[in-house]
Amino acid sequence: MFNKGSELLKLCKEQNKKISEIVMEKEMDDNDISYDELMDKMKSVLDTMIKSATTALDKEVISVSKLSGGDAKKMEDYKNKGNTISGELITSAMAKALSTSEVNASMGRIIAAPTAGASGILPSAIITVKDKFNLSEEDMIAGLFTAAGIGEIIAKNATISGAEGGCQAECGAASSMAAAAIVEMVGGNAEASLNAASFAMINIMGLVCDPVAGLVEFPCALRNASGVVNALVSADIAMAGIKSLVPFDEVIDAMYRVGKSMPESLKETALGGVAATPTGDKLKGRVL
Ligand code: SF4
């Protein structure tokens, strides 16, 4: 039905539909399920996302390795003091992204969107925008379908694996998915969603994958916090009417080429970046 962003956009224009509607039709077709079954499935995904994004806000969730944890609560407490630099919406979004990352590192239940490492970005974006604009559960679910469509295109035409393309492929893909979703949630059209997805990827293109001790904890959680901010900012840039000079499909191709040209040390091997610093080495020794 669609493999590229340009094809998805064409379908939206021809049929005067939102991205989420096209993706839902494709899902029903591909899986031979009814609308109600599809909605039930995504509602269950949404419930898990909400739980993971809020679990670590009021209690410390420490990782299995004890390398990380408690930062979501720190961020939430900081936000609640009301004197933050970037404001309530941004700090609240970062706290929620950190929460899911901490739940993941503690072996809790998360939704890989598109991967476990980048699982904090989309739930936080969807909840943050729903809260700000007082949207409904249906709006959130529609946002998730839009995100799924963008993720599918990235996976088909490039990669969503840190081991193959660096963190740009994981947190970049998650940011793109989230940016497109929230644009639709606030009333933007399909073109604006694809522009937002392009901006989010361009903004972090080249980001390496360098998990300390090979664990999906540091710097992963931080990148989920900044990834959701990237999504929100990219959505605002698109909603301002700014268009990407380079179309979405070409941006994704570029990300893939950048990923392929990265040395192996920067693709989840923990042999480069912050993983290979003296402190990274020391932490690895402590954990292992
Ligand atoms: S640094 Fe690597 S392991 Fe961590 S979130 Fe990014 S891609 Fe995943």
Side-chain angles (χ1 to χ4, degrees), residues 133-165:
F133 293 95
N134 205 17
L135 302 177
S136 66
E137 187 176 271
E138 284 68 33
D139 295 323
M140 296 171 91
I141 290 174
L144 292 180
F145 279 111
T146 296
I150 298 297
E152 189 177 333
I153 292 168
I154 298 173
K156 270 185 185 160
N157 294 282
T159 177
I160 52 166
S161 158
E164 201 185 351

Side-chain angles (χ1 to χ4, degrees), residues 115 117-118 162 166-167 170-171 208-211 216 219-220 223-224 268:
T115 63
C167 200
E170 285 200 17
C171 287
V208 302
C209 171
D210 51 353
V216 185
C220 314
R223 289 178 181 160
N224 277 263
E268 218 174 301

Side-chain angles (χ1 to χ4, degrees), residues 103 111 127 237 263:
V103 169
I111 300 291
I127 299 167
I237 296 173

Side-chain angles (χ1 to χ4, degrees), residues 5-115:
S6 55
E7 293 164 5
L8 177 59
L9 190 57
K10 192 162 171 265
L11 287 171
C12 289
K13 283 184 177 166
E14 279 172 3
Q15 299 179 24
N16 194 23
K17 286 181 178 160
K18 297 174 182 176
I19 292 178
S20 60
E21 292 172 317
I22 300 285
V23 175
M24 284 165 76
E25 283 169 14
K26 182 177 183 298
E27 285 296 308
M28 286 189 281
D29 225 38
D30 287 353
N31 301 300
D32 196 22
I33 54 175
S34 68
Y35 175 84
D36 288 345
E37 285 170 321
L38 185 64
M39 291 302 276
D40 283 350
K41 276 191 169 187
M42 200 54 114
K43 164 86 171 69
S44 151
V45 164
L46 178 62
D47 289 345
T48 303
M49 284 184 165
I50 292 172
K51 189 149 187 272
S52 68
T54 50
T55 294
L57 297 181
D58 55 9
K59 66 164 189 267
E60 288 193 347
V61 174
I62 307 297
S63 70
V64 176
S65 70
K66 303 208 170 22
L67 199 64
S68 64
D71 291 345
K73 183 171 185 312
K74 276 197 192 98
M75 182 59 76
E76 181 73 1
D77 292 347
Y78 171 63
K79 177 207 81 179
N80 288 338
K81 284 186 193 146
N83 192 26
T84 68
I85 298 160
S86 51
E88 187 177 342
L89 183 134
I90 294 290
T91 44
S92 177
M94 289 193 288
K96 290 182 178 68
L98 289 169
S99 174
T100 298
S101 291
E102 289 175 1
V103 169
N104 178 51
S106 70
M107 300 291 160
R109 193 151 182 252
I110 53 95
I111 300 291
T115 63

